Amino acid sequence: LAQAGAEQQVLQAEKDRFAAMVKGDRAALTRLLADDLTYTHSSALFESKTQFINSVTSGDIKYVSVTPSEPDWKVRVSGNTAIVNGVAAVNVIDHGKDLKIKIRYTTIHTNRGGQWQLQAWQATRFPQ
Protein backbone atom coordinates (compact mmCIF):
# COMPACT_ATOMS: atom_id res chain seq x y z
CA LEU A 1 0.00 0.00 0.00
CA ALA A 2 2.82 2.41 0.84
CA GLN A 3 4.39 1.52 -2.52
CA ALA A 4 1.19 2.37 -4.41
CA GLY A 5 0.95 5.66 -2.51
CA ALA A 6 4.52 6.56 -3.43
CA GLU A 7 3.86 5.70 -7.09
CA GLN A 8 0.83 8.03 -7.09
CA GLN A 9 2.87 10.83 -5.48
CA VAL A 10 5.56 10.48 -8.16
CA LEU A 11 2.99 10.55 -10.97
CA GLN A 12 1.37 13.62 -9.39
CA ALA A 13 4.81 15.29 -9.35
CA GLU A 14 5.11 14.44 -13.09
CA LYS A 15 1.69 15.99 -13.83
CA ASP A 16 2.48 19.06 -11.70
CA ARG A 17 5.81 19.56 -13.49
CA PHE A 18 4.24 19.27 -16.95
CA ALA A 19 1.61 21.85 -15.90
CA ALA A 20 4.33 24.16 -14.52
CA MET A 21 6.28 23.85 -17.79
CA VAL A 22 3.19 24.88 -19.81
CA LYS A 23 2.49 27.81 -17.45
CA GLY A 24 6.15 28.85 -17.25
CA ASP A 25 5.72 28.76 -13.45
CA ARG A 26 9.18 29.49 -12.04
CA ALA A 27 8.19 28.91 -8.38
CA ALA A 28 6.63 25.51 -9.08
CA LEU A 29 9.56 24.42 -11.26
CA THR A 30 12.03 25.51 -8.57
CA ARG A 31 10.17 23.31 -6.08
CA LEU A 32 9.65 20.32 -8.41
CA LEU A 33 13.18 20.15 -9.86
CA ALA A 34 16.18 18.91 -7.89
CA ASP A 35 19.10 21.34 -7.60
CA ASP A 36 21.36 18.74 -9.29
CA LEU A 37 18.93 18.16 -12.19
CA THR A 38 20.24 16.89 -15.52
CA TYR A 39 17.72 17.57 -18.30
CA THR A 40 18.38 16.01 -21.71
CA HIS A 41 15.86 17.19 -24.30
CA SER A 42 14.79 15.04 -27.25
CA SER A 43 17.02 17.29 -29.40
CA ALA A 44 20.01 16.20 -27.23
CA LEU A 45 20.23 19.71 -25.69
CA PHE A 46 21.51 19.22 -22.13
CA GLU A 47 20.53 21.68 -19.40
CA SER A 48 20.98 22.18 -15.67
CA LYS A 49 18.08 23.18 -13.42
CA THR A 50 18.90 26.88 -13.76
CA GLN A 51 19.29 26.67 -17.54
CA PHE A 52 16.04 24.71 -17.98
CA ILE A 53 14.00 27.07 -15.77
CA ASN A 54 15.47 30.08 -17.59
CA SER A 55 14.65 28.55 -21.02
CA VAL A 56 11.05 27.82 -20.03
CA THR A 57 10.37 31.12 -18.23
CA SER A 58 12.14 33.38 -20.76
CA GLY A 59 10.00 32.16 -23.65
CA ASP A 60 12.98 30.67 -25.54
CA ILE A 61 11.19 27.34 -25.12
CA LYS A 62 7.39 27.64 -24.80
CA TYR A 63 5.55 24.46 -23.92
CA VAL A 64 2.05 24.80 -25.42
CA SER A 65 1.03 21.37 -24.14
CA VAL A 66 2.55 18.24 -22.64
CA THR A 67 0.09 15.36 -22.66
CA PRO A 68 1.32 12.14 -21.09
CA SER A 69 -0.17 8.83 -22.19
CA GLU A 70 -1.13 7.59 -18.74
CA PRO A 71 -1.59 3.91 -19.77
CA ASP A 72 2.08 3.92 -20.87
CA TRP A 73 3.41 5.01 -17.47
CA LYS A 74 5.65 2.51 -15.70
CA VAL A 75 6.75 3.52 -12.21
CA ARG A 76 9.27 1.80 -9.99
CA VAL A 77 9.92 3.09 -6.48
CA SER A 78 12.89 1.91 -4.46
CA GLY A 79 13.26 3.77 -1.17
CA ASN A 80 13.75 7.49 -1.91
CA THR A 81 14.27 6.95 -5.65
CA ALA A 82 11.67 6.48 -8.36
CA ILE A 83 12.09 5.74 -12.06
CA VAL A 84 9.31 6.60 -14.48
CA ASN A 85 9.08 5.52 -18.11
CA GLY A 86 6.46 7.30 -20.14
CA VAL A 87 5.19 8.51 -23.49
CA ALA A 88 3.93 12.04 -24.12
CA ALA A 89 2.65 14.21 -26.94
CA VAL A 90 4.43 17.56 -26.77
CA ASN A 91 3.65 20.81 -28.56
CA VAL A 92 6.58 23.15 -28.00
CA ILE A 93 7.70 26.37 -29.63
CA ASP A 94 11.48 26.03 -29.55
CA HIS A 95 13.14 29.37 -30.37
CA GLY A 96 10.22 30.26 -32.66
CA LYS A 97 9.87 26.83 -34.30
CA ASP A 98 6.50 25.19 -33.63
CA LEU A 99 7.07 21.47 -33.02
CA LYS A 100 4.48 18.77 -32.40
CA ILE A 101 6.36 15.67 -31.35
CA LYS A 102 5.78 12.39 -29.56
CA ILE A 103 8.45 11.34 -27.09
CA ARG A 104 9.36 8.37 -24.96
CA TYR A 105 11.05 9.45 -21.76
CA THR A 106 12.73 8.22 -18.62
CA THR A 107 12.80 10.23 -15.41
CA ILE A 108 14.49 9.73 -12.10
CA HIS A 109 12.86 11.31 -9.07
CA THR A 110 14.33 11.60 -5.59
CA ASN A 111 12.29 12.05 -2.43
CA ARG A 112 13.93 14.77 -0.39
CA GLY A 113 12.18 15.76 2.81
CA GLY A 114 8.89 14.20 1.71
CA GLN A 115 8.90 16.01 -1.67
CA TRP A 116 9.47 14.13 -4.93
CA GLN A 117 11.79 16.12 -7.20
CA LEU A 118 12.89 15.44 -10.75
CA GLN A 119 16.59 14.63 -10.74
CA ALA A 120 17.08 13.45 -14.33
CA TRP A 121 15.12 13.59 -17.59
CA GLN A 122 16.01 11.89 -20.87
CA ALA A 123 13.67 12.02 -23.87
CA THR A 124 13.75 10.40 -27.30
CA ARG A 125 11.53 11.44 -30.19
CA PHE A 126 9.46 8.89 -32.03
CA PRO A 127 10.22 8.92 -35.77
CA GLN A 128 7.87 11.35 -37.56
Side-chain angles (χ1 to χ4, degrees), residues 14 37 81-84 106-110 117-121:
E14 289 272 278
L37 174 71
T81 303
I83 300 167
V84 179
T106 301
T107 60
I108 299 171
H109 294 259
T110 305
Q117 291 184 315
L118 180 69
Q119 192 168 19
W121 165 275

Side-chain angles (χ1 to χ4, degrees), residues 3 10 76-83 108-111 116 119:
Q3 186 79 5
V10 171
R76 286 154 290 160
V77 177
S78 178
N80 287 328
T81 303
I83 300 167
I108 299 171
H109 294 259
T110 305
N111 190 320
W116 287 99
Q119 192 168 19

Side-chain angles (χ1 to χ4, degrees), residues 1-90:
L1 193 62
Q3 186 79 5
E7 289 176 9
Q8 287 307 311
Q9 289 173 356
V10 171
L11 291 178
Q12 188 60 54
E14 289 272 278
K15 292 177 190 176
D16 291 349
R17 180 174 41 80
F18 290 147
M21 288 164 54
V22 170
K23 289 182 205 152
D25 184 338
R26 180 179 290 273
L29 289 169
T30 299
R31 185 179 71 254
L32 292 163
L33 304 177
D35 288 343
D36 58 350
L37 174 71
T38 57
Y39 199 100
T40 307
H41 293 264
S42 64
S43 63
L45 174 67
F46 182 82
E47 292 184 313
S48 67
K49 176 180 181 173
T50 301
Q51 290 168 323
F52 178 71
I53 290 175
N54 287 342
S55 291
V56 172
T57 59
S58 71
D60 286 347
I61 298 174
K62 167 71 180 131
Y63 287 92
V64 178
S65 62
V66 180
T67 309
S69 172
E70 297 192 23
D72 288 312
W73 266 329
K74 178 172 173 50
V75 185
R76 286 154 290 160
V77 177
S78 178
N80 287 328
T81 303
I83 300 167
V84 179
N85 296 97
V87 171
V90 180

